[in-house]
Amino acid sequence: MKKLNVRLVQMLIFSIFLVSAAGCGQEKSHSSKTIRVGVVKYIEQDDYINALTDCLRDNFAKKEKTSQMHIVVTVKNGGGKQAIQDRVVEEMIDAGCDILCVDLVDRTAPTKIINMARRNDIPVVFFNRELVREDLMQWEKLYYVGGDAAVSGVMQGEMAADHIVLKNSKKKGKGKYDPKVDRNRDGRIQYVVLEGETGHQDAILRTDEAVGTLTAKGIKLDKVSYEIADWSKDQARNKMTQLIAQKKNEIELVLANNDAMALGAREAYEKSGLSKEDYPQIYGIDGLKEGLAAVASGKIQGTVYNDKEGQAGAIAQLALALIEKRELRDFSLKDGRYLFLPYQKVDREEAVKREH
Ligand code: BGC
């Protein structure tokens, strides 16, 4: 009798293990209406990606309410290593995923994931980290959804230019810039770029386009430094603190590839002991809650809204259409595979509006 009880307990533990290890397959009922969506982020903690993933869950939950489908969404992450992400994807496929949504760790190394998906005939919607075209074209069930990164850089540059050049001023040369920005009144803007992760298309294009837009508008720039801060507020704060120690109040403009880094720069100034009049203009990109609040209160001068709702909506709709093998005619796919969502400028007035 005692032996039988031990056996029962063992079986119970084993079945609990099976259910929790199943990932995508957490749902026990295998009715034909159950859809298993596997979402694999590149890392556990990234504010923007987590907010986007929450929107994605909401989208699937809404769809579930208005349809006969039971949609099981499992979110995991690659721990910042491509090899780990490959393994997580493999587990999800083994557990019976119907569709994968993947934010690659290394956007140049999707081959393992593509091969596994293809062998098992599971479509993949990649998002946020754009894989190279040849990879995306390897198989017809691969798609990409993201923001139009170049546009976000242009918008950041345009907002900064609007604040630098004095409105309705006939002055030329040194006097044409707002003295609150060109604080040393040398007719040039001393600037710093805080860059996201090396090799990320958003980092590359945002930097190029923001600086290119300012230059194209005839604004004379002096590059003080480009610092890689990996999308991180802490790293940006540290890098900026070092720069302030070297350059004191010399920096007039900070272009950050995202809001987290813009906020890190602002914190570095707040801790620097410099007076507020000596702070540079700071611009970010993303428009998450904290970024919007900082623009609304004037802590940073602008951000560009990275439409997480739009991107999540597009990923969810595309995923469902692929599972249901529907025609994709209603999606405005570029080259049949890409969906790029627009960005929006957020200055102080717009941020205040969005906060209410
Ligand atoms: C966002 C960043 C985020 C990164 C992650 C970018 O589009 O602007 O905030 O850290 O994606 O890949």
Side-chain angles (χ1 to χ4, degrees):
M1 187 63 181
K2 208 170 168 197
K3 251 190 180 165
L4 190 69
N5 279 344
V6 171
R7 183 77 192 123
L8 271 175
V9 171
Q10 279 175 339
M11 280 169 69
L12 191 67
I13 291 173
F14 186 62
S15 34
I16 290 171
F17 171 77
L18 275 186
V19 169
S20 62
C24 274
Q26 278 170 9
E27 173 53 39
K28 272 187 260 171
S29 123
H30 281 267
S31 97
S32 60
K33 294 268 190 264
T34 297
I35 286 171
R36 293 169 180 78
V37 183
V39 181
V40 194
K41 307 180 293 176
Y42 77 104
I43 206 169
E44 183 166 13
Q45 184 45 47
D46 178 300
D47 286 349
Y48 178 74
I49 298 300
N50 288 353
L52 191 151
T53 310
D54 287 346
C55 291
L56 195 53
R57 281 186 192 277
D58 290 351
N59 268 277
F60 285 120
K62 266 191 212 134
K63 181 71 193 173
E64 193 180 44
K65 272 198 192 134
T66 57
S67 71
Q68 298 301 313
M69 289 183 265
H70 182 40
I71 308 178
V72 183
V73 181
T74 304
V75 179
K76 301 212 165 179
N77 74 84
K81 293 213 163 67
Q82 193 53 57
I84 298 180
Q85 191 176 50
D86 294 347
R87 236 178 294 136
V88 171
V89 166
E90 189 175 8
E91 280 164 23
M92 284 193 162
I93 291 176
D94 289 348
C97 256
D98 297 301
I99 181 104
L100 283 158
C101 305
V102 179
D103 185 15
L104 285 165
V105 176
D106 178 350
R107 70 189 188 98
T108 66
T111 308
K112 282 204 173 129
I113 292 179
I114 292 175
N115 290 344
M116 287 187 284
R118 194 173 187 169
R119 264 199 310 274
N120 292 279
D121 197 28
I122 298 168
V124 189
V125 181
F126 291 99
F127 64 98
N128 179 259
R129 283 143 184 264
E130 187 182 332
L131 51 174
V132 283
R133 197 187 154 81
E134 292 72 45
D135 285 331
L136 194 70
M137 295 300 164
Q138 277 187 45
W139 182 42
E140 74 272 12
K141 292 188 182 172
L142 306 175
Y143 294 83
Y144 175 76
V145 175
D148 195 343
V151 172
S152 60
V154 170
M155 289 183 167
Q156 190 182 57
E158 286 175 351
M159 278 197 299
D162 274 354
H163 290 159
I164 292 169
V165 181
L166 280 172
K167 307 264 159 337
N168 309 320
S169 164
K170 301 235 155 42
K171 286 186 185 160
K172 293 227 165 80
K174 290 191 178 181
K176 74 174 178 189
Y177 297 153
D178 186 333
K180 287 198 213 94
V181 186
D182 182 18
R183 296 190 316 271
N184 64 1
R185 300 177 197 211
D186 65 348
R188 307 182 66 83
I189 302 297
Q190 285 71 45
Y191 79 104
V192 166
V193 177
L194 293 174
E195 297 198 90
E197 198 181 332
T198 318
H200 193 307
Q201 82 284 342
D202 286 351
I204 299 166
L205 291 167
R206 287 172 185 173
T207 299
D208 286 357
E209 296 296 331
V211 175
T213 301
L214 285 162
T215 312
K217 285 181 176 290
I219 293 172
K220 302 271 183 293
L221 296 173
D222 289 332
K223 169 174 165 178
V224 176
S225 190
Y226 280 24
E227 300 285 337
I228 293 166
D230 267 335
W231 306 119
S232 140
K233 188 195 234 182
D234 290 348
Q235 289 195 39
R237 190 195 312 103
N238 293 342
K239 298 264 163 102
M240 223 42 233
T241 302
Q242 285 167 20
L243 280 176
I244 297 168
Q246 290 160 20
K247 309 281 176 189
K248 308 282 181 292
N249 64 349
E250 206 179 287
I251 300 156
E252 295 172 330
L253 171 67
V254 176
L255 301 169
N257 285 169
N258 76 347
D259 286 349
M261 296 187 291
L263 294 165
R266 169 74 193 200
E267 284 183 12
Y269 275 93
E270 284 170 357
K271 291 200 175 120
S272 70
L274 288 173
S275 75
K276 283 211 170 112
E277 290 71 46
D278 282 333
Y279 288 9
Q281 301 267 303
I282 304 176
Y283 294 87
I285 292 175
D286 273 348
L288 295 179
K289 246 192 186 154
E290 207 188 345
L292 288 180
V295 178
S297 68
K299 284 193 168 194
I300 64 173
Q301 282 58 52
T303 186
V304 182
Y305 195 71
N306 193 357
D307 185 4
K308 56 183 186 304
E309 290 83 5
Q311 290 174 33
I315 298 168
Q317 281 171 32
L318 191 57
L320 291 166
L322 289 166
I323 293 171
E324 294 173 330
K325 300 194 166 48
R326 273 189 269 127
E327 285 273 353
L328 301 181
R329 240 179 289 128
D330 294 344
F331 294 87
S332 12
L333 291 168
K334 188 176 164 232
D335 297 340
R337 301 296 186 82
Y338 293 90
L339 257 181
F340 290 111
L341 279 287
Y343 285 83
Q344 291 138 32
K345 288 182 194 172
V346 182
D347 59 10
R348 192 167 185 174
E349 196 185 326
E350 178 63 24
V352 172
K353 256 195 253 159
R354 282 175 188 250
E355 277 216 304
H356 291 109

